[in-house]
Amino acid sequence: MDLCFLSAEATRDSDNRRHIARRQANTDEVAGRAFADTDFVREQSMDIGRHVAANPAINAIVEELDRAQTRRSRVVRILAPEGGGKTRLLEDAMSALAGRAIYAVRALSWETESPGWVAQRLIERLPAPGRHSGKNARVSGFEAQNLIAGAIGASEPGTLIVIDDAHFADPFSLKTLGTALQLSPRSNVLVILLVDESVASPSATLTRELADTDIVVPYFRLVQVRSLLGQHTGIDAPQELARSIFALTAGEPSTTIAMIEHLAATGWTSLDQIPVPPHIAAPTKATLDGLDDESRALAEHVAVLGTATSWDELAAFAGIDDAESLAARLDPLCEANLLTVHADPGATWVRFSAPLDRNIVLSSLPPTRIRALHLRAAELFADLDIDASLAHRAALSTGQDQELADRHASRAAELADNGDWYSGARTLLTAARLDPTPESATRRRRQGVDGLIEAGHIDEATYMSTAMQSAAPSPERDAVFGYLAVMRGKKSESTMLLERARASLGDRGHAGVTSLASKSVMHALASWNPADMLHWSDIAALDSAVDIPSTQAARAIGGLATLISASDDPTSADEDSNGFAVHSGYVQRFELAAGWGAFAADEPARARRHFESALAISPEKSSERITIQAQAWLAYTHFLLGTWDEAIRIIETAARRVSDLGLELLAPLVHGTGAMIRSMRDDPVGASRHIVHINPPVDSYPLQTIPSAMAAIQVAASRGDYAEVRRAGAPLAALGHDVDFDQPGYWPWFELYAHALVLGGRIREAETLIDPIWRRAEPVGHATTLASIESVRARIAGIRGDHEEMQALLDSSIERVSPLGIPYRLARLHFAAGQTLRRAGRRKEADHSLGMARDLYEQFGATVYVRRCDRERKAGGVNVARGPRQDLTPQEKAVASLVAAGHSNAEVADELYLSIKTIQYHLTRIYAKLGIRGRSELAAMYAAEISE
């Protein structure tokens, strides 16, 4: 016996091979696609951030184009099997590239033995000097090389040349292209070859020799599957349907597209047993037909039990007493790659190699057979696994069943009481479908949706709530829809619905008031209203017996509200249980609140421990919403601690979940830190992947607006664009008139904005901003808030010529933060101090502060600020090595380097803290000393030095 024990990676590889075989079997469809348009030129301009966020592989294409445009021409291969999404990826990339000329040809399978055919079409398409495009007679080899080389040399930097299905191109054409690139060493084009490496051909080998790098087409993500569903169906496809397809295909491009096309053609919208297109199902059905009766029966048993089942469960269900006999029956199924056996310590699992195969097997079963199997499973698991037993009984039902509905509802209450919101919600929704009584079915459906929201599965809750739209209006219905609107970041809608529910229920005395209160607590948190948070938390605490959702969630937020409101005691972060025992299902919420309190108390190490504890809670006792909040705050804590690689890792994980779950309320909290780190690491494309998610609508919650604006402020500051910093911070300054969010430590947004105001000459406005914050932070001695304000005041004192006061403030700010172990805060203070000291003429002290800042930024990988520190130190002229332009003063060198990099006079003035007139004066002297006439010659001079 030779059981196929495979790793997850091997399973996925074999799964891929099976999908490839299915695609190749459909040769007529492939041949038909070969006659599509072969040549095209595109020039499009769209928002790059949207495309990069949807598909990270586009990021790689954009980066390769940047290298080609700024250095030399490059050749890139895009790799995937036939139908694997190469062309689709390229089309998305072309849509993302603004104003690029793109010349493309497609090689056809019968052209491999026809020398020069692809080269000829390239010559006809490219803007070859001296020849009329499209009118050329066939040319010889040397002439073809020269013509293509001339066209490449004449092309604008950033031009793309594409050969689709390059594995079919004739070798002569590929060699001609390679030689032409060598004949154009100063060209700046990007050549993209789309290749199916599963095709063995001399041309495929040549593409490997030509390419500078490979880009492998990634599997689709859930957001892309949903987008494709919308494109094919013409409607806003439910997230849950996309999720079901994604679970079946794992995002494999060609199979996913085939599934979606089949669903669109058949009009299928149910989430249950999604049908598989016949041409994809055919190989599996053929495999089933070739099995003996015992092996096929075993495959049917696994299909009824689920995509995967334990060895012991399968043996009991199939009535096989010994392991040897079960193994013997599994052998043919493993050899056919239909099933895979996974051995883990203490357990062995049997699963379908491809989840699609389960649907194919189930669709092949006659009704009598599938009912008999479900009945046997329901009886077998009655005492072993109540959830499995109930699921099999639900599958047996041919209509509504009150007794079965009640059993599901009872089990849902047990699950929810134990903190397993998601399983409880799904079970309750099943109860609603089984319930023949309209009133109780409506109540259970509403409670099930409520549980999905509490679990953080917002898109699923949105989909399931559609059945509630036709229900009669009620305060309970309004409360659930209002809660859903909160999680989607729709402030006006949630406010209207929750207020209408409150008006209908009255103040107290109604059973629904406590449930409404627990939702209003979250609305108050999103609105950043501590008084309302406490108010609704107190009301929710009046009744601790509410099942879905529990009032302990409201109590956790109430504990946070107490910390926020009690600004005279921010160190009481752990006093969060208020004398009552915390249910095991709600520990995660209290850990999050405690971590947030520790974060605000300038104790990031303690905050990190709480956030990590919140993430360590088992999935059965946690909420996806709370998990994502803990990840967002843990990432920001790592940002402050200088462990930016760990922060990025956490952000990438949380960002995927936010998108998959539809938690729009939390997207800015997650993506904001990512945008800040990537902008400071000089990764504008990476930053754009986050920025696209941190632009909430005007009618959004402060919990969205504040982190979005904080990120925009830092991104602008990374560019040295202080005018943009002022624009990005203005909405928060305006928000402060209506929302009190300047409690010390929670939202440290004001420092960069206040510095930008001072740099813009708006000193009085800066003082009006920081003085109330100082009065609030001083009684409690909140160190980072006070130090940030002292840094701003020191800059103001320097401008006013009070250098003694300036130095005292700078010293005090550093002394406050140094003992706290918050490297990022310290780097910020040293950098600002260096700028202030240099402007005051204290160049040695400035050089020391900037050196301290530089060392810290270098540890973080903040390359933008490392360079800015270097420029500031050069402008100060202390310990700077003499360069080739010795006639320039240190300040002139700093001005020249910034202007040569493309900055405007205003931007240089902001960066170096000088007036625009001073910059103009410096430039006049620079041009005269260097013997040049303007900015373009200055940029060329610096570029030449860099290349040398």
Side-chain angles (χ1 to χ4, degrees), residues 678-802:
R678 293 195 183 279
S679 70
M680 296 174 75
R681 285 185 160 181
D682 198 16
D683 180 9
V685 175
S688 72
R689 290 164 45 205
H690 296 290
I691 291 170
V692 72
H693 296 286
I694 58 172
N695 188 25
V698 174
D699 180 36
S700 56
Y701 282 104
L703 195 61
Q704 298 164 279
T705 304
I706 297 171
S708 294
M710 287 176 63
I713 288 170
Q714 179 59 73
V715 170
S718 296
R719 298 195 305 264
D721 187 348
Y722 292 107
E724 182 59 31
V725 171
R726 292 188 287 272
R727 283 190 290 271
L732 288 188
L735 181 66
H737 298 304
D738 301 316
V739 178
D740 180 14
F741 64 94
D742 281 329
Q743 296 88 357
Y746 286 94
W747 303 107
W749 71 278
F750 65 87
E751 179 194 359
L752 288 172
Y753 180 62
H755 277 296
L757 290 175
V758 175
L759 290 170
R762 295 156 61 176
I763 293 176
R764 182 64 60 86
E765 193 175 339
E767 290 177 324
T768 301
L769 171 70
I770 62 177
D771 287 351
I773 300 175
W774 176 274
R775 289 193 294 271
R776 195 168 194 170
E778 187 179 27
V780 297
H782 195 272
T784 56
T785 301
L786 297 175
S788 297
I789 294 173
E790 285 174 331
S791 176
V792 177
R793 287 178 171 174
R795 193 183 290 269
I796 295 171
I799 292 174
R800 291 171 174 166
D802 190 347

Side-chain angles (χ1 to χ4, degrees), residues 245-262:
I245 295 171
F246 184 77
L248 290 173
T249 67
E252 195 279 325
S254 63
T255 308
T256 301
I257 292 169
M259 290 282 291
I260 290 172
E261 290 174 344
H262 185 62

Side-chain angles (χ1 to χ4, degrees), residues 52 109 114 145 163 175 305 346 437 440 467 503 512 575 584 623 712 777 788 863 874-875 877 916 943:
V52 171
S109 58
S114 303
Q145 293 170 6
I163 301 179
K175 293 175 181 178
L305 290 179
T437 307
S440 59
E575 297 172 14
S584 62
S623 161
S788 297
T863 52
K874 286 180 182 178
I916 294 177

Side-chain angles (χ1 to χ4, degrees), residues 254-528:
S254 63
T255 308
T256 301
I257 292 169
M259 290 282 291
I260 290 172
E261 290 174 344
H262 185 62
L263 294 183
T266 59
W268 187 277
T269 57
S270 172
L271 301 182
D272 299 324
Q273 203 172 320
I274 295 175
V276 181
H279 73 279
I280 290 180
T284 299
K285 287 186 175 180
T287 298
L288 288 172
D289 292 341
L291 295 171
D292 60 64
D293 291 343
E294 288 186 340
S295 294
R296 177 164 185 150
L298 194 61
E300 294 169 354
H301 282 84
V302 177
V304 168
L305 290 179
T307 303
T309 184
S310 74
W311 182 283
D312 292 340
E313 287 177 348
L314 178 59
F317 186 38
I320 301 173
D321 295 332
D322 63 285
E324 294 296 318
S325 298
L326 179 57
R329 292 195 193 180
L330 283 170
D331 276 346
L333 296 168
C334 288
E335 291 166 2
N337 199 28
L338 191 66
L339 297 180
T340 304
V341 178
H342 290 261
D344 292 326
T348 298
W349 294 88
V350 181
R351 66 182 75 241
F352 280 96
S353 300
L356 275 174
D357 288 339
R358 176 177 182 253
N359 283 31
I360 297 169
V361 173
L362 289 174
S363 67
S364 70
L365 293 176
T368 52
R369 172 66 171 160
I370 199 167
R371 282 186 59 81
L373 289 173
H374 276 302
L375 180 61
R376 174 169 171 75
E379 294 171 347
L380 176 67
F381 294 116
D383 297 325
L384 300 175
D385 186 341
I386 186 173
D387 296 314
S389 180
L390 285 174
H392 287 294
R393 291 196 179 279
L396 278 168
S397 64
T398 57
Q400 294 173 319
D401 184 325
Q402 187 68 61
E403 186 271 338
L404 189 56
D406 291 342
R407 289 180 63 183
H408 274 79
S410 176
R411 177 57 181 163
E414 293 174 2
L415 291 167
D417 187 59
N418 200 35
D420 189 353
W421 295 109
Y422 184 64
S423 298
R426 295 295 298 267
T427 304
L428 200 53
L429 288 167
T430 301
R433 289 194 293 270
L434 292 167
D435 197 331
T437 307
E439 182 178 348
S440 59
T442 298
R443 183 184 71 253
R444 285 166 173 170
R445 184 175 297 108
R446 183 179 66 243
Q447 291 176 337
V449 171
D450 198 3
L452 288 175
I453 300 170
E454 190 64 31
H457 289 253
I458 306 307
D459 270 325
E460 187 174 355
T462 301
Y463 177 65
M464 293 300 179
S465 69
T466 55
M468 295 168 52
Q469 298 285 358
S470 59
S474 69
E476 292 82 8
R477 175 180 176 275
D478 284 344
V480 172
F481 277 120
Y483 197 25
L484 188 58
V486 172
M487 297 304 167
R488 301 213 76 110
K490 301 179 183 299
K491 183 182 178 185
S492 294
E493 180 182 343
S494 61
T495 300
M496 181 271 293
L497 289 165
L498 292 175
E499 287 182 351
R500 192 166 73 186
R502 291 170 201 151
S504 300
L505 289 173
D507 192 19
R508 280 185 172 82
H510 191 285
V513 169
T514 50
S515 177
L516 173 61
S518 67
K519 298 169 177 58
S520 298
V521 168
M522 191 62 205
H523 174 68
L525 173 61
S527 303
W528 200 254

Side-chain angles (χ1 to χ4, degrees), residues 830 834 837 842-854 873 878:
H830 276 302
L837 288 164
R842 300 196 175 182
R843 298 187 175 187
K844 287 186 178 180
E845 294 92 332
D847 189 78
H848 172 74
S849 288
L850 290 166
M852 297 289 288
R854 188 193 190 284
R873 297 177 81 184
V878 178

Side-chain angles (χ1 to χ4, degrees), residues 56-138:
I58 297 177
N59 186 8
I61 296 175
V62 172
E63 289 176 350
E64 288 301 321
L65 179 61
D66 181 62
R67 291 189 184 99
Q69 186 170 347
T70 58
R71 301 176 189 175
R72 62 171 180 82
S73 294
R74 290 179 64 79
V75 180
V76 173
R77 293 197 309 165
I78 298 179
L79 304 177
E82 172 62 34
K86 299 185 297 295
T87 304
R88 184 181 298 273
L89 171 65
L90 182 62
E91 289 174 350
D92 287 345
M94 289 189 297
S95 295
L97 299 172
R100 310 291 180 183
I102 304 174
Y103 303 93
V105 298
R106 175 175 290 129
L108 303 175
S109 58
W110 53 84
E111 293 181 329
T112 304
E113 304 300 327
S114 303
W117 281 32
V118 170
Q120 180 69 27
R121 291 210 305 280
L122 272 178
I123 292 169
E124 293 170 357
R125 292 299 130 194
L126 288 169
R131 303 192 66 109
H132 191 275
S133 178
K135 302 295 185 182
N136 298 300
R138 192 159 302 280

